[in-house]
């Protein structure tokens, strides 16, 4: 069973190595077993991670019971909600690369035979999956699980409502008491925020990829079933190590397609596009925005979870979870059911007993919310390499829209204008120099989108940016515009008052200015100062690829 760890443990030459393990209290018997790295992102500053120490202990128990030696190692993690709206958000997406690099470092440096990855929130989940694909060793991911929804006035609410409440307060639609009620009631406990935001999107897609056990994406963080799942993950890694099943045998071209189909059906965060591109790259799988664009028209959208609708992840779990969604897709031949997974069974075997217990939460494949997927890719003269929108969270009246551009160099100027009431119905807010290089770090724009939603303008105002939007954003929020302004993209040439034409069903995004005028502007254009002046973000900005490539490091 031992493969990689023998480089650390076996032979007279490894006496010094073994002596250091003995210094930590390991026994000779433990060192004869496979060494399993349990990578925990536990911290006391992320609600989704505050309880991961308990889950990591459950994983360790599962590994030990199955005959392995679990070794706990750390990973960092940024809480996107806490980082939102200030310079801290610039570090969120770049931290994905640090996480992948650190997992690789710990695994190779210490000769782990397999990995159990214990993340939960937005960039930590894909960062760990990227590392597993890069290393190509046996790996299982078990997340911390979703937060329960809060309650307000008899309705379920989650984090997105707190951001929207700020906009409502600024517009004079609610008072101090109502604002405080939302603040205190929207996030009742541990777990990844309760809607189909980025963290829960990626935890669900880990199931669809086959690297996580069924239930990973939806079993609530506070449930005993989540602890049991962690124990089973510990047992599962020992089976993979024994059978020498590595990550790239599970994450491959066909399983990535399964994940894309699941993404479209669930209506996942637009950030899932960035992360699937990056994971695929690490797994050696060719994947482009064109591939994702081709998947959307042929994959129906089956779920409208918050912020697209009133249901939350706990409701998806009660309805049958990701297995029920995959089973609906399988009815129409939209997924490959013969692929291997970390359970030791195929996708088809995993979903054989799955039932759709609530057709209001998971629409049957015969009666979808829409015939096309929850994610759409747009192209045009200001998105020559593509842009991404969470179509399922766009009101029908905003699927096609023309309006005057309101241009801002950076999020801060845009949010100030929104709070000041300077944005009017029909406007198209353009936020640039927030891309992977220009930000740097490609900040999420949850504050502007939520402010507009809270002001009841989300069905009248569109936003486009070379940055990105939170999974908690709703409305015509079009991000990932590529090339970004900092790389010479045409989004940098848009002027105040230009007419922007958005047609999501047709997949187009254009500024209604002729090519000659755009070239004239390009010749005269002088970019403002942007980017990091120092720190590791300056290095990131020099190395990062565009959003259309997943914002990976070159």
């Amino acid at each position: 069973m031992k493969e990689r760890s023998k480089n650390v443990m076996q032979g007279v030459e490894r006496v010094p190595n073994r002596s250091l393990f003995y210094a930590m209290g390991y026994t000779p018997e433990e060192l004869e077993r496979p060494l399993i790295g349990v990578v925990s992102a536990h911290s006391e500053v992320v609600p989704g991670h505050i309880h991961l120490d308990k889950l990591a202990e459950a994983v360790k128990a599962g590994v030990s019971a199955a005959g392995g030696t679990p070794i706990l190692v750390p990973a960092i993690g940024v809480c996107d909600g806490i980082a939102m709206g200030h310079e801290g958000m610039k570090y969120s997406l770049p931290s994905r690369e640090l996480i992948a690099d650190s997992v690789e470092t710990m695994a190779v440096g210490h000769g782990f035979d397999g990995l159990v990855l214990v993340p939960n929130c937005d960039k930590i989940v894909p960062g760990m999956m990227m590392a597993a694909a890069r290393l190509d060793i046996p790996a299982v991911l078990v997340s911390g699980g979703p937060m329960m929804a809060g309650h307000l006035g008899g309705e379920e609410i989650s984090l997105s409502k707190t951001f929207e409440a700020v906009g409502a307060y600024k517009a004079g639609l609610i008072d101090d008491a109502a604002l405080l009620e939302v603040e205190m009631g929207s996030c009742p406990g541990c777990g990844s925020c309760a809607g189909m935001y980025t963290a829960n999107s990626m935890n669900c897609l880990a199931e669809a990829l086959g690297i996580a056990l069924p239930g990973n994406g939806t079993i609530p963080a506070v449930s005993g079933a989540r602890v049991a799942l962690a124990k089973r993950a510990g047992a599962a890694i020992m089976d993979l190590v024994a059978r020498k099943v590595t990550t790239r045998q599970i994450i491959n071209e066909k399983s990535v397609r399964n994940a894309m189909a699941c993404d479209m059906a669930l209506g996942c965060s637009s950030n899932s596009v960035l992360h699937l591109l990056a994971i695929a790259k690490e797994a050696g799988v060719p994947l482009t925005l064109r591939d994702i664009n081709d998947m959307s028209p042929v994959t129906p959208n089956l779920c409208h979870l918050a912020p697209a609708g009133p249901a939350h992840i706990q409701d998806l779990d009660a309805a049958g979870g990701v297995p029920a969604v995959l089973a609906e897709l399988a009815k129409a031949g939209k997924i490959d059911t013969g692929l291997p997974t970390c359970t030791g069974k195929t996708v088809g075997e995993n979903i054989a007993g799955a039932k759709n217990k609530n057709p209001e939460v998971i629409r049957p494949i015969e009666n979808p919310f829409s015939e096309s997927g929850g994610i759409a890719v747009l192209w045009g003269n200001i998105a020559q390499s593509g842009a991404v929108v969470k179509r399922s969270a766009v009101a029908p009246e905003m699927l096609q829209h023309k309006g005057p551009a309101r241009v801002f160099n950076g999020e801060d100027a845009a949010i100030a204008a929104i709070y000041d009431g300077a944005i009017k119905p029909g406007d198209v807010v353009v936020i640039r120099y927030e891309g992977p290089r220009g930000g740097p770090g490609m900040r999420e724009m949850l504050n502007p989108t939520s402010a507009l939603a809270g002001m009841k303008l989300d069905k009248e105002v569109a936003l486009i940016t070379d940055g990105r939007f939170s999974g908690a954003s709703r409305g015509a929020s079009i991000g990932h515009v590529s090339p970004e302004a900092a790389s010479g993209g045409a989004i940098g040439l848009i002027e105040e008052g230009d007419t922007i034409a958005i047609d999501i069903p047709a997949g187009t995004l254009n500024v209604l200015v002729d090519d000659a005028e755009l070239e004239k502007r390009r010749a005269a254009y002088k970019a403002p100062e942007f980017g990091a002046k120092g720190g590791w973000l300056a290095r990131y900005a020099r190395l990062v690829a565009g959003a259309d490539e997943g914002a990976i490091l070159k």
Side-chain angles (χ1 to χ4, degrees):
M1 292 174 66
K2 290 163 67 70
E3 293 290 338
R4 298 168 63 88
S5 61
K6 68 182 181 182
N7 295 324
V8 176
M9 296 299 172
Q10 291 185 1
V12 67
E13 298 84 2
R14 296 294 176 254
V15 165
N17 309 60
R18 294 193 294 273
S19 71
L20 292 169
F21 275 89
Y22 298 143
M24 294 181 282
Y26 289 90
T27 67
E29 293 78 14
E30 286 177 303
L31 301 188
E32 291 171 1
R33 302 169 188 160
L35 303 185
I36 305 299
V38 179
V39 187
S40 171
H42 170 253
S43 76
E44 295 182 350
V45 73
V46 184
H49 293 183
I50 190 73
H51 62 305
L52 293 188
D53 55 338
K54 309 298 190 299
L55 290 181
E57 288 301 316
V59 169
K60 290 170 65 179
V63 170
S64 295
T69 297
I71 300 176
L72 183 69
V73 295
I76 65 167
V78 172
C79 176
D80 277 20
I82 294 173
M84 195 72 66
H86 59 89
E87 66 178 353
M89 179 48 71
K90 294 184 177 184
Y91 285 84
S92 175
L93 181 61
S95 75
R96 185 189 68 180
E97 314 308 310
L98 291 183
I99 292 159
D101 291 351
S102 65
V103 173
E104 175 192 358
T105 300
M106 296 302 285
V108 176
H110 303 97
F112 295 151
D113 298 300
L115 294 171
V116 181
L117 308 167
V118 192
N120 206 25
C121 290
D122 293 31
K123 310 310 166 301
I124 303 87
V125 178
M128 288 193 184
M129 285 198 281
M130 288 166 63
R134 182 189 301 172
L135 290 164
D136 195 25
I137 63 174
V140 177
L141 184 143
V142 58
S143 74
M147 184 185 294
M148 300 297 285
H151 289 89
L152 181 68
E155 295 184 0
E156 290 184 351
I157 63 168
S158 53
L159 182 68
S160 57
K161 292 298 182 183
T162 64
F163 283 90
E164 292 178 16
V166 174
Y169 182 80
K170 293 280 188 179
L173 300 177
I174 62 173
D175 60 15
D176 289 331
L179 183 65
L180 181 61
E181 194 174 3
V182 175
E183 180 179 341
M184 300 304 293
S186 61
C187 298
C190 67
S192 49
C193 297
M196 187 50 79
Y197 312 146
T198 306
N200 292 324
S201 294
M202 296 311 301
N203 285 325
C204 287
L205 296 185
E207 279 190 57
L209 283 166
I211 195 174
L213 301 175
N216 179 74
T218 61
I219 295 173
V222 295
S223 170
R226 176 60 58 175
V227 178
L229 187 75
K231 292 177 181 177
R232 290 200 298 273
I237 190 61
M238 295 307 299
D239 175 63
L240 294 180
V241 169
R243 294 189 295 114
K244 299 181 180 180
V245 177
T246 64
T247 299
R248 291 195 190 185
Q249 292 171 255
I250 293 172
I251 299 180
N252 53 45
E253 189 165 358
K254 291 180 179 179
S255 68
V256 168
R257 288 190 63 82
N258 276 3
M260 286 195 294
C262 186
D263 191 327
M264 298 296 172
L266 286 170
C268 289
S269 164
S270 58
N271 286 315
S272 64
V273 172
L274 282 174
H275 301 321
L276 283 176
L277 288 167
I279 293 164
K281 178 72 173 179
E282 296 289 1
V285 172
L287 182 67
T288 68
L289 283 180
R290 293 285 181 189
D291 298 317
I292 296 170
N293 189 55
D294 291 344
M295 177 69 77
S296 184
V298 299
T299 311
N301 176 228
L302 305 181
C303 300
H304 270 188
L305 299 156
H312 290 84
I313 303 300
Q314 65 201 51
D315 304 308
L316 177 61
D317 187 62
V322 174
V325 174
L326 295 177
E328 291 290 348
L329 292 170
K331 287 181 188 176
K334 299 295 184 181
I335 61 168
D336 188 330
T337 58
L339 302 181
T341 72
C342 67
T343 66
K345 300 177 181 178
T346 65
V347 172
E349 289 170 331
N350 284 343
I351 66 175
K355 294 180 180 179
N356 184 350
K357 302 174 185 177
N358 189 341
E360 295 301 313
V361 174
I362 304 172
R363 287 280 186 92
I365 194 80
E366 302 84 4
N367 181 35
F369 281 103
S370 66
E371 293 293 339
S372 56
I375 297 290
V377 181
L378 311 182
W379 314 85
N381 62 358
I382 51 174
Q384 292 178 326
S385 298
V388 178
V389 62
K390 185 173 180 175
R391 175 182 176 148
S392 59
V394 180
E397 55 266 46
M398 288 299 292
L399 290 172
Q400 294 174 307
H401 180 76
K402 287 184 182 178
R406 304 298 311 280
V407 182
F408 302 94
N409 291 339
E411 178 191 11
D412 298 339
I415 192 65
I418 293 169
Y419 285 157
D420 286 346
I423 304 303
K424 305 301 180 185
D427 285 349
V428 178
V429 176
V430 178
I431 305 174
R432 59 197 186 189
Y433 295 100
E434 289 287 5
R437 179 175 172 235
M442 205 179 181
R443 286 196 288 182
E444 286 185 345
M445 305 290 164
L446 181 55
N447 275 352
T449 60
S450 297
L452 291 171
M455 294 173 174
K456 308 299 183 186
L457 290 173
D458 57 299
K459 296 181 180 179
E460 299 179 285
V461 173
L463 294 93
I464 67 171
T465 181
D466 51 10
R468 58 197 178 92
F469 292 107
S470 166
S473 293
R474 60 187 171 99
S477 304
I478 300 164
H480 309 195
V481 171
S482 300
E484 63 175 293
S487 296
I491 189 173
L493 305 179
I494 299 172
E495 295 183 356
E496 186 81 8
D498 285 348
T499 299
I500 305 291
I502 299 165
D503 191 333
I504 294 173
T508 59
L509 175 64
N510 290 287
V511 57
L512 301 186
V513 174
D514 63 41
D515 292 345
E517 173 62 20
L518 286 177
E519 287 308 310
K520 180 180 176 182
R521 292 180 186 181
R522 188 182 299 279
Y525 187 69
K526 292 183 179 179
E529 283 193 22
F530 60 86
K533 301 297 186 292
W536 71 269
L537 283 185
R539 184 168 69 251
Y540 174 86
R542 291 195 298 271
L543 297 174
V544 70
D548 57 307
E549 298 180 65
I552 58 173
L553 294 183
K554 299 174 184 176

